């Protein structure tokens, strides 16, 4: 989607299977989530790269990198980083920060990479968006095939049990003068977020839909993919995972 194209209007929505490629490509996605705690994210990057004991100048893949903020920080830590994302607009923005050891490309995570990586990071619940559940397995296999012989992968996902226990069904968030009306619910094994707002006299409606994957679901998928799940953490300080309380489900595998 080019920057001149407008995101889908309320009466002209994209097909469900492409919602993520339209919503993530709009400026409104980045406006709504601009207040995410990036300092906390940097603490996570510090902790996880130290835990993995990555060598200097290790080749790191930031899969579903968005505008590349975490790719940039990983590069500042001394790693050779590729940030990949499906959103052309996000990659165009990220590319403004590219250098000899920091690159970005448009890429579908269901497809493996030709190059092999010492570490692959899939951060902040950037998994489980596909309409077809088989694509989740395909993505895991692609991650596995893109790892070097001694490489590790990390998926940082929401802890579904804790999310459902604390779900706020309806709220309004005002960011940059735009009132985002949010509705959240569980349906058919997916957590939905309906997003309605008005800007410049135009009504917009988007739906986020994420597969409600538990640790047991991931374990089953990884077993099928021939993946070894090595460790599990429950937050960005790498504390133990507790099913009912932990904020995150962080899985280290190869």
């Amino acid at each position: 989607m080019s920057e001149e194209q407008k995101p889908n209007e309320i009466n002209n929505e994209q097909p469900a299977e492409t919602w993520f490629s339209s919503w993530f490509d709009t400026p409104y996605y980045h406006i709504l989530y601009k207040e995410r705690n990036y300092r906390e994210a940097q603490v996570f990057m510090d902790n996880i790269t130290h835990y993995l004991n990555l060598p200097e100048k290790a080749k790191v893949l930031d899969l579903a990198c968005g505008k590349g903020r975490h790719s940039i920080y990983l590069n500042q830590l001394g790693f050779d980083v590729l940030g990949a994302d499906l959103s052309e607009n996000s990659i165009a923005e990220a590319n403004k920060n590219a250098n000899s050891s920091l690159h970005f490309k448009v890429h579908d995570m269901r497809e493996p990479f030709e190059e092999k990586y010492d570490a692959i990071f899939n951060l902040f619940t950037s998994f489980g968006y596909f309409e077809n559940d088989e694509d989740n397995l395909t993505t895991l296999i692609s991650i596995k095939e893109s790892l070097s012989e001694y490489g590790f992968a990390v998926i940082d996902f929401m802890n579904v049990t804790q999310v459902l226990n604390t779900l706020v069904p309806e709220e309004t968030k005002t960011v940059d003068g735009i009132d985002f009306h949010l509705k959240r619910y569980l349906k058919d094994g997916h957590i939905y977020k309906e997003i309605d707002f008005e800007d410049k006299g135009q009504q917009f409606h988007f739906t986020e839909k994420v597969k409600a994957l538990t640790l047991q679901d991931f374990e089953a998928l990884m077993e099928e993919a021939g993946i070894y799940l090595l460790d599990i953490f429950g937050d960005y300080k790498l504390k133990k995972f507790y099913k009912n309380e932990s904020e995150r489900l962080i899985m280290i595998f190869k």
Side-chain angles (χ1 to χ4, degrees):
M1 182 186 291
S2 71
E3 292 202 12
E4 290 76 24
Q5 287 178 297
K6 292 179 180 175
N8 47 298
E9 298 175 21
I10 195 164
N11 59 353
N12 184 29
E13 292 188 45
Q14 296 287 341
E17 64 270 14
T18 62
W19 72 263
F20 47 87
S21 59
S22 58
W23 169 226
F24 293 165
D25 228 4
T26 75
Y28 297 111
Y29 171 80
H30 299 287
I31 292 171
L32 177 58
Y33 294 118
K34 69 186 289 186
E35 294 175 3
R36 284 180 168 169
N37 189 336
Y38 288 106
R39 178 66 202 131
E40 185 181 48
Q42 290 180 352
V43 168
F44 180 37
M45 296 296 94
D46 291 340
N47 289 335
I48 200 69
T49 53
H50 181 74
Y51 168 82
L52 294 175
N53 195 25
L54 293 177
E56 191 178 351
K57 297 183 181 177
K59 293 181 67 173
V60 174
L61 171 61
D62 183 9
L63 194 58
C65 69
K67 290 186 176 181
R69 190 184 292 248
H70 308 112
S71 301
I72 294 164
Y73 186 67
L74 286 163
N75 182 239
Q76 290 170 352
L77 291 177
F79 303 117
D80 186 343
V81 181
L82 173 68
D85 200 279
L86 192 63
S87 167
E88 293 182 11
N89 285 348
S90 292
I91 292 298
E93 189 68 27
N95 258 325
K96 296 175 183 177
N97 300 286
N99 60 48
S100 60
S101 59
L102 175 61
H103 302 90
F104 297 94
K105 70 180 290 188
V106 176
H107 187 90
D108 188 320
M109 66 168 67
R110 289 168 286 194
E111 300 290 331
F113 288 78
E114 285 183 25
E115 249 177 303
K116 305 296 182 192
Y117 294 89
D118 300 307
I120 298 176
F121 295 129
N122 179 247
L123 306 172
F124 309 107
T125 309
S126 301
F127 192 92
Y129 288 131
F130 303 113
E131 193 66 22
N132 183 351
D133 286 347
E134 278 295 308
D135 288 337
N136 295 320
L137 177 61
T138 300
T139 300
L140 282 176
I141 292 170
S142 293
I143 291 173
K144 177 192 171 189
E145 290 178 352
S146 303
L147 283 171
S148 65
E149 185 180 356
Y150 301 105
F152 297 96
V154 179
I155 289 181
D156 161 36
F157 201 69
M158 61 181 166
N159 176 14
V160 166
T161 304
Q162 189 265 353
V163 167
L164 292 176
N165 286 341
T166 59
L167 198 69
V168 178
E170 292 192 33
E171 69 173 316
T172 298
K173 285 187 176 180
T174 302
V175 189
D176 290 357
I178 300 173
D179 295 329
F180 293 92
H181 304 287
L182 311 176
K183 291 183 180 179
R184 302 179 181 89
Y185 53 91
L186 178 70
K187 179 184 174 184
D188 299 332
H190 291 79
I191 295 174
Y192 284 79
K193 185 190 290 182
E194 304 273 357
I195 304 158
D196 289 279
F197 58 95
E198 182 180 334
D199 187 40
K200 298 171 186 171
Q202 190 174 2
Q203 297 284 336
F204 295 93
H205 174 81
F206 294 96
T207 303
E208 290 184 12
K209 175 184 174 185
V210 184
K211 181 78 171 172
L213 293 163
T214 64
L215 174 57
Q216 288 71 29
D217 294 326
F218 273 108
E219 285 174 336
L221 282 168
M222 288 178 177
E223 186 173 349
E224 193 172 348
I227 281 169
Y228 299 99
L229 180 57
L230 303 171
D231 221 335
I232 305 158
F233 299 110
D235 66 16
Y236 294 143
K237 294 178 180 176
L238 306 189
K239 292 181 181 173
K240 186 177 176 181
F241 176 75
Y242 294 99
K243 180 181 175 182
N244 294 316
E245 299 149 36
S246 293
E247 293 181 1
R248 309 300 299 170
L249 170 59
I250 298 167
M251 296 161 286
I252 320 292
F253 61 93
K254 64 181 303 176

